[in-house]
Amino acid sequence: MNLTDRIVVITGAAGGIGAALARRFTAEGAAAVVLADVDSEAVRAVADCVGPIAHPVAVDVTDEEQVRALVADTERRYGRIDLFCANAGITTGGGVEVDDAGWDRAWRVNVLAHVYSARAVLPGMLAQGGGHLLHTCSAAGVLTAVGDAPYTATKHAALGFAEWLSVTYRDRGIRVSALCPQGVDTPMLADGLAAGHLGARVVAASGAVLTPDQVADAAVAGLAEERFLILPHPEVAAYARRRAEDPDGWQAGLRKLVRRLTT
Ligand SMILES: NC(=O)c1ccc[n+]([C@@H]2O[C@H](COP(=O)([O-])OP(=O)(O)OC[C@H]3O[C@@H](n4cnc5c(N)ncnc54)[C@H](O)[C@@H]3O)[C@@H](O)[C@H]2O)c1
């Protein structure tokens, strides 16, 4: 997909990777970028910086009615949606002790919101003969996120859902891409590093921490090639290969890294 004259929606656009996608798509010549986030003040500030083609909307992606309204209002205002980026995501941290409310929150933001947006946007895209879904998953969906069981499980589910969409709809003109970065310098990782969380330290020790703009560059390159799996960190492909070929060896290596960081 070439971004020129495209109508794009981005969730989780109030900062980090979502705001970087908005800036980069604008530079690529998008006709409109609709920026959705639960943080209405911050997303308005991002829209002001992006410029006149940006339209901020307060949306909680875990509320299907709000997602449906986001899609319907965008289609009414601009006539179509060419690219929908389901990018909002959260971490909870923790393991089996995380209570059901925590698991539910992670499931609703990281997975169910992707189902809601696909459900809302696919009829219009199929009717217009095509469209592209970009789902921000994570390297945690390809590998594992040390210190965060809900994030690991829900990002694996998000990647599985994106793959299912791609297999099911590709021959009907719908392209699907899964953006799977490892460490990115946004509040999500920076706050964890500042607090000394093990998971954040493992991420930082496993490869480069990219800027959100570098991730947006990788996303634009992946969209241009209509690639399913977009890995801004090339080392993640090597880790994934190792994990597939020798799961026990790969896990042993990860445990060794964790021991090195904790002793
Ligand atoms: N930062 C990293 O290291 C990293 C690595 C891999 C993947 N990711 C993924 O990238 C995506 C963007 O994260 P980021 O790093 O830019 O973090 P971020 O915290 O800066 O951005 C996440 C955005 O999602 C919004 N959001 C959260 N819950 C929402 C909801 N219910 N409705 C609408 N918006 C909501 C937040 O307000 C925030 O603006 C996430 O899906 C995250 O899991 C991040």
Side-chain angles (χ1 to χ4, degrees):
M1 164 175 273
N2 161 334
L3 272 304
T4 311
D5 293 333
R6 299 299 188 179
I7 308 296
V8 183
V9 179
I10 305 169
T11 71
I17 295 169
L21 291 174
R23 289 191 296 272
R24 186 59 210 271
F25 294 164
T26 302
E28 290 289 314
V33 285
V34 176
L35 307 182
D37 203 286
V38 74
D39 186 339
S40 56
E41 257 176 51
V43 80
R44 204 171 318 120
V46 169
D48 287 346
C49 291
V50 168
I53 71 154
H55 176 63
V57 193
V59 176
D60 179 346
V61 294
T62 66
D63 181 331
E64 185 167 17
E65 266 316 304
Q66 293 187 34
V67 174
R68 214 180 279 152
L70 166 70
V71 168
D73 291 348
T74 305
E75 288 173 341
R76 218 174 1 255
R77 193 177 173 128
Y78 300 104
R80 66 183 195 281
I81 295 173
D82 298 305
L83 170 63
F84 192 103
C85 306
N87 170 75
I90 58 163
T91 53
T92 58
V96 292
E97 76 288 356
V98 173
D99 62 15
D100 286 4
W103 280 91
D104 191 53
R105 220 172 37 252
W107 168 252
R108 293 175 69 78
V109 180
N110 294 345
V111 187
L112 212 46
H114 292 195
V115 179
Y116 292 160
S117 55
R119 203 181 267 161
V121 84
L122 277 170
M125 285 185 173
L126 289 167
Q128 75 204 17
H132 205 125
L133 308 177
L134 177 71
H135 286 190
T136 305
C137 301
S138 171
V142 181
L143 306 167
T144 200
V146 170
D148 199 332
Y151 194 72
T152 301
T154 57
K155 288 297 185 178
H156 273 258
L159 185 57
F161 177 60
E163 189 174 70
W164 181 90
L165 284 171
S166 183
V167 168
T168 305
Y169 287 100
R170 172 104 191 188
D171 289 346
R172 294 164 71 188
I174 308 297
R175 303 289 186 260
V176 182
S177 297
L179 179 61
C180 295
Q182 193 166 243
V184 189
D185 188 11
T186 71
M188 185 176 277
L189 179 64
D191 293 352
L193 281 174
H197 290 155
L198 177 62
R201 290 166 60 215
V202 170
V203 167
S206 299
V209 173
L210 301 183
T211 65
D213 289 334
Q214 288 173 308
V215 175
D217 289 347
V220 167
L223 288 170
E225 291 171 13
E226 298 188 343
R227 244 184 297 124
F228 172 70
L229 191 60
I230 302 178
L231 298 176
H233 299 74
E235 57 270 33
V236 171
Y239 300 155
R241 252 191 315 273
R242 174 95 203 276
R243 175 177 174 271
E245 286 164 7
D246 177 15
D248 298 298
W250 177 74
Q251 286 180 26
L254 188 54
R255 288 198 304 272
K256 193 167 155 197
L257 173 62
V258 169
R259 277 197 301 278
R260 183 160 68 72
L261 291 173
T262 50
T263 52

Coordinates of all heavy atoms in Angstrom, one line a residue, residues 15 17 19 34 57-58 67 77 109 128 142 151 159 176 205 213 220 222 224 228 252:
G15 N 0.1 9.1 21.5 CA 1.6 9.2 21.8 C 2.3 8.0 21.2 O 1.7 7.3 20.4
I17 N 4.0 5.0 19.4 CA 4.0 4.5 18.0 C 2.9 5.1 17.2 O 3.0 5.4 16.1 CB 4.0 3.0 18.1 CG1 5.3 2.4 18.7 CG2 3.8 2.4 16.7 CD1 5.2 0.9 19.1
A19 N 1.3 8.0 17.4 CA 1.6 9.4 17.0 C 2.6 9.4 15.9 O 2.5 10.2 14.9 CB 2.0 10.2 18.2
V34 N -7.3 9.9 11.0 CA -8.2 10.0 12.1 C -7.5 9.4 13.3 O -7.2 8.2 13.3 CB -9.6 9.3 11.8 CG1 -10.5 9.4 13.0 CG2 -10.2 10.0 10.5
V57 N -10.3 12.0 17.8 CA -11.5 11.5 18.3 C -11.3 10.7 19.6 O -10.3 10.0 19.7 CB -12.2 10.5 17.3 CG1 -13.6 10.2 17.7 CG2 -12.1 10.9 15.9
A58 N -12.1 11.0 20.6 CA -12.0 10.3 21.9 C -12.7 9.0 21.8 O -13.9 8.9 21.5 CB -12.6 11.1 23.0
V67 N -16.3 2.0 18.9 CA -15.4 1.6 17.7 C -16.3 1.7 16.4 O -15.9 2.2 15.4 CB -14.8 0.2 17.9 CG1 -14.1 -0.2 16.6 CG2 -13.9 0.2 19.1
R77 N -17.7 10.9 6.9 CA -16.9 12.2 6.7 C -16.0 12.1 5.4 O -15.9 13.1 4.7 CB -16.1 12.4 7.9 CG -15.5 13.7 8.1 CD -14.7 13.8 9.4 NE -14.0 15.1 9.4 CZ -14.0 15.9 10.4 NH1 -14.8 15.7 11.5 NH2 -13.3 17.0 10.4
V109 N -8.2 -4.8 25.6 CA -7.5 -3.8 24.8 C -6.7 -4.5 23.7 O -6.6 -4.0 22.6 CB -6.6 -2.9 25.7 CG1 -5.9 -1.9 24.9 CG2 -7.4 -2.2 26.8
Q128 N -15.9 -1.7 -1.1 CA -15.1 -0.8 -1.9 C -14.0 -1.6 -2.7 O -13.2 -1.0 -3.5 CB -14.5 0.3 -1.1 CG -13.3 0.0 -0.3 CD -13.0 0.9 0.9 OE1 -13.9 1.7 1.3 NE2 -11.8 0.9 1.5
V142 N 5.4 -13.0 19.2 CA 6.2 -13.9 18.4 C 7.0 -14.8 19.4 O 7.2 -15.9 19.2 CB 7.1 -13.1 17.5 CG1 8.0 -14.1 16.6 CG2 6.4 -12.2 16.6
Y151 N 0.4 -9.9 29.0 CA 0.8 -9.3 27.7 C 1.2 -10.3 26.7 O 0.9 -10.3 25.6 CB 2.0 -8.3 28.0 CG 2.4 -7.4 26.9 CD1 1.5 -6.3 26.6 CD2 3.6 -7.5 26.2 CE1 1.9 -5.4 25.5 CE2 3.9 -6.7 25.2 CZ 3.1 -5.6 24.8 OH 3.4 -4.7 23.8
L159 N -1.7 -11.7 17.4 CA -1.0 -12.1 16.2 C -1.7 -13.3 15.5 O -1.9 -13.3 14.3 CB 0.5 -12.5 16.6 CG 1.4 -12.9 15.4 CD1 1.5 -11.7 14.4 CD2 2.8 -13.3 15.8
V176 N -3.5 -7.6 5.3 CA -3.4 -7.5 6.8 C -1.9 -7.5 7.1 O -1.1 -8.3 6.6 CB -4.1 -8.7 7.5 CG1 -3.9 -8.6 9.0 CG2 -5.5 -8.8 7.1
A205 N 17.9 -5.5 27.0 CA 19.1 -6.3 26.8 C 19.0 -7.2 25.6 O 20.0 -7.9 25.2 CB 19.3 -7.1 28.1
D213 N 9.6 6.7 15.7 CA 9.8 7.1 14.3 C 10.4 6.0 13.4 O 10.0 5.8 12.3 CB 10.6 8.4 14.1 CG 9.8 9.6 14.6 OD1 8.5 9.6 14.6 OD2 10.4 10.6 15.0
V220 N 5.8 1.7 7.3 CA 5.6 2.2 5.9 C 6.3 1.3 4.9 O 5.6 1.0 3.9 CB 6.1 3.7 5.8 CG1 6.2 4.1 4.3 CG2 5.2 4.6 6.6
G222 N 6.9 -1.9 5.3 CA 6.2 -3.2 5.3 C 4.8 -3.0 4.5 O 4.4 -3.9 3.8
A224 N 4.2 -0.9 2.2 CA 4.5 -0.7 0.7 C 4.7 -2.1 0.1 O 4.3 -2.3 -1.1 CB 5.7 0.1 0.5
F228 N 2.9 -9.4 5.5 CA 2.1 -9.7 6.7 C 2.9 -9.4 8.0 O 2.5 -8.6 8.8 CB 1.7 -11.2 6.8 CG 1.1 -11.5 8.1 CD1 -0.2 -11.0 8.4 CD2 1.7 -12.3 9.0 CE1 -0.8 -11.2 9.6 CE2 1.2 -12.5 10.3 CZ -0.1 -12.0 10.6
A252 N 16.2 -21.9 27.2 CA 17.3 -21.9 28.1 C 18.1 -20.7 27.9 O 18.6 -20.1 28.9 CB 18.2 -23.2 27.7

